[in-house]
């Protein structure tokens, strides 16, 4: 019992941020993300004995979270509406120039089709290779690479339409 | 994407074409693939594109790293602690409930084994013997008679019968449950020990036996219209005499 508690605490402390962010980019909703993460860890607790290798913990949790999200989708199919743009991020008083840019970029990321943004989140935030992502999402690797290409391509094009924002690409 | 290895096998001069490079670098700007690095080294424009994309990744990473609610970690840990606490509480409650159920069932079983509708006895005789043994200590042959004919007959009303005359010294007359049936248990003074007489309504589940005995006791049953009368006594008694006295004495109102 004690060791289970210890393992669980380590997982929560080490991975809750990654999971929350991943959930956020999946759902674009902070409250839903929190709920998803809670549900994910709850299930993780119940199934903790089935996790043999701590190194695989992150992928394991992501898989649980994706499944939970799919379930949520099934439940909420009828009251799903297109998210409203201004509800994506709450309007934090964005002071610094960099924060404004971040906000702008978040908006662009949120506008990517989910099948493009999901691998991108896994690659950039999760640090997963194309092969890992293919396994996680149950796709073949070429499909993943194509989606990653398109995701970056769209973001870069968006940036280039607004030279103000693209400025940092050429700094240094 | 990785067909670059095959092209390298063909000739080292073969360069990655632009499109191929673009696709690879866009898909993974920090790729350590040899061909991609070689292509960058050969072509400053490609190198620049790769650097731009790495910077883009850096920015995307910053943008994606949205703030995590401060209390999320605590919430997750607290929730789990509460959950396991509740589970433990629920477990102990279940244990308590289980213990209570076991106690109740044990009580029921004991009751059941004693006097009840249990069909633990195959026939009247076995049951009558068991009953007499159970109450053996309660009556003594030396007790002075104390039950009058009147009070006996009051009790006999339940069975639609009455005795016209006293048949001996009646030590006790009480209703009892005879294998779940309300019966009258009479205890008479006998030759050497008490004589038990049961008036039992007829029921199907006990097989009627007219004579029975074990090492110490003997019994005889007589069947009347609505009731059976069973006499149980030790071997010094003449049961047939008792039965004769009873049948001469008893009047059934129906």
């Amino acid at each position: 019992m004690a060791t289970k508690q210890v393992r669980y605490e380590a997982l929560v402390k080490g991975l809750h941020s990654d999971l929350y962010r991943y959930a956020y980019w999946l759902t674009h909703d902070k409250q839903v993300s929190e709920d998803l993460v809670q549900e994910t860890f709850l299930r993780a607790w119940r199934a903790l004995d089935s996790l043999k290798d701590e190194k695989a913990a992150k992928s394991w949790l992501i898989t649980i979270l994706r499944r939970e999200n799919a379930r949520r989708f099934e439940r909420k199919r009828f009251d799903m509406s297109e998210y409203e743009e201004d509800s994506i991020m709450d309007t934090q008083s964005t002071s610094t120039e960099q924060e404004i840019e971040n906000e702008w970029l978040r908006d662009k990321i949120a506008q990517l089709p989910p099948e493009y943004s999901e691998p991108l989140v896994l690659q950039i935030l999760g640090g997963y290779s194309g092969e890992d992502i293919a396994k996680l999402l149950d796709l073949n690797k070429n499909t993943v690479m194509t989606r990653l290409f398109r995701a970056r391509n769209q973001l870069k094009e968006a940036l280039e339409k607004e030279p103000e924002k693209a400025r940092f690409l050429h700094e240094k | 994407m990785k067909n670059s290895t095959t092209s390298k096998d063909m000739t080292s001069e073969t360069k990655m074409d632009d499109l191929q490079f673009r696709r690879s670098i866009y898909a993974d700007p920090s790729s350590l693939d040899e061909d991609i690095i070689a292509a960058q080294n050969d072509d400053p424009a490609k190198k620049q594109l790769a650097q731009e994309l790495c910077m883009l990744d850096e920015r995307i990473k910053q943008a994606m790293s949205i703030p995590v609610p401060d209390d999320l970690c605590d919430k997750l840990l607290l929730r789990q602690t509460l959950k396991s606490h509740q589970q433990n509480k629920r477990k102990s409650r279940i244990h308590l409930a289980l213990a209570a159920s076991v106690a109740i069932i044990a009580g029921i079983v004991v009751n059941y084994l004693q006097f009840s509708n249990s069909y633990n006895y195959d026939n009247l005789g076995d049951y009558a013997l068991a009953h007499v043994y159970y109450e053996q200590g309660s009556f003594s042959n030396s007790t002075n008679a104390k039950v009058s004919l009147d009070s006996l007959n009051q009790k006999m009303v339940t069975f639609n019968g009455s005795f016209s005359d006293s048949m001996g010294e009646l030590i006790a007359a009480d209703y009892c449950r005879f294998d779940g049936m309300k019966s009258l248990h009479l205890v008479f003074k006998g030759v050497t020990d008490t004589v038990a007489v049961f008036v039992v309504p007829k029921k199907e589940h006990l097989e009627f036996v007219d004579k029975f005995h074990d090492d110490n006791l003997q019994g005889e049953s007589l069947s009347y219209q609505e009731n059976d009368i069973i006499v149980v006594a030790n071997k010094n008694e003449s049961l047939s005499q008792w039965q004769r006295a009873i049948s001469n004495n008893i009047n059934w109102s129906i």
Side-chain angles (χ1 to χ4, degrees), chain B residues 39-89:
Chain B
Q40 287 179 44
N41 289 338
D42 287 355
D43 183 348
K46 282 182 180 144
K47 190 163 203 154
Q48 171 148 16
L49 179 63
Q51 279 172 351
E52 275 181 32
L53 286 168
C54 280
M55 273 175 164
L56 176 65
D57 265 21
E58 204 44 53
R59 291 306 321 273
I60 293 173
K61 191 172 186 171
Q62 274 185 34
M64 279 180 175
S65 301
I66 53 152
V68 176
D70 291 334
D71 56 350
L72 180 59
C73 184
D74 290 340
K75 268 191 209 165
L76 292 167
L77 294 177
L78 180 68
R79 216 175 93 135
Q80 192 46 56
T81 315
L82 287 177
K83 265 243 148 57
S84 14
H85 179 66
Q86 273 171 357
Q87 270 169 1
N88 288 342
K89 248 169 68 182

Side-chain angles (χ1 to χ4, degrees), chain A residues 8 20-21 24-25 34 38 42 45 98 101-102 106 123 145 149 152 155-156 159 168-171, chain B residues 23 26-27 29 52 55-57 59-60 62-67 69 73 75-77 79-80:
Chain A
Y8 175 79
Y20 172 79
R21 289 182 176 132
Y24 177 80
W25 289 109
E34 240 189 273
Q38 296 219 6
L42 183 69
W45 166 267
Q98 187 169 41
E101 276 179 15
N102 275 345
R106 278 176 199 140
Q123 191 185 43
M145 297 319 265
F149 162 78
R152 277 197 186 79
L155 290 178
K156 195 155 184 287
L159 278 167
F168 65 83
L169 290 182
H170 308 290
E171 278 166 5
Chain B
R23 291 187 67 88
Y26 268 78
E52 275 181 32
M55 273 175 164
L56 176 65
D57 265 21
R59 291 306 321 273
I60 293 173
Q62 274 185 34
M64 279 180 175
S65 301
I66 53 152
C73 184
K75 268 191 209 165
L76 292 167
L77 294 177
R79 216 175 93 135
Q80 192 46 56

Side-chain angles (χ1 to χ4, degrees), chain A residues 28-115:
Chain A
H28 307 293
D29 183 310
K30 289 184 166 184
Q31 193 48 55
V32 173
S33 303
E34 240 189 273
D35 293 349
L36 265 183
V37 172
Q38 296 219 6
E39 196 53 41
T40 302
F41 274 106
L42 183 69
R43 284 184 188 271
W45 166 267
R46 289 192 200 130
L48 200 53
D49 294 335
S50 69
L51 176 67
K52 303 293 178 214
D53 181 4
E54 304 296 320
K55 273 182 244 153
K58 188 156 131 185
S59 309
W60 183 64
L61 287 169
I62 286 178
T63 307
I64 298 175
L65 192 140
R66 293 188 79 237
R67 214 182 298 139
E68 277 311 306
N69 188 45
R71 245 182 232 144
R72 179 184 71 94
F73 237 85
E74 276 164 26
R75 283 198 298 268
K76 295 215 171 167
R77 193 179 313 168
F78 298 108
D79 54 61
M80 280 297 287
S81 53
E82 283 294 299
Y83 61 83
E84 282 157 37
E85 304 247 328
D86 54 17
S87 73
I88 294 173
M89 288 304 288
D90 53 8
T91 42
Q92 294 168 325
S93 54
T94 44
S95 46
T96 66
E97 197 180 350
Q98 187 169 41
E99 260 314 301
I100 297 169
E101 276 179 15
N102 275 345
E103 195 91 348
W104 180 87
L105 194 51
R106 278 176 199 140
D107 198 34
K108 297 294 168 217
I109 298 168
Q111 284 171 24
L112 289 175
E115 61 268 29

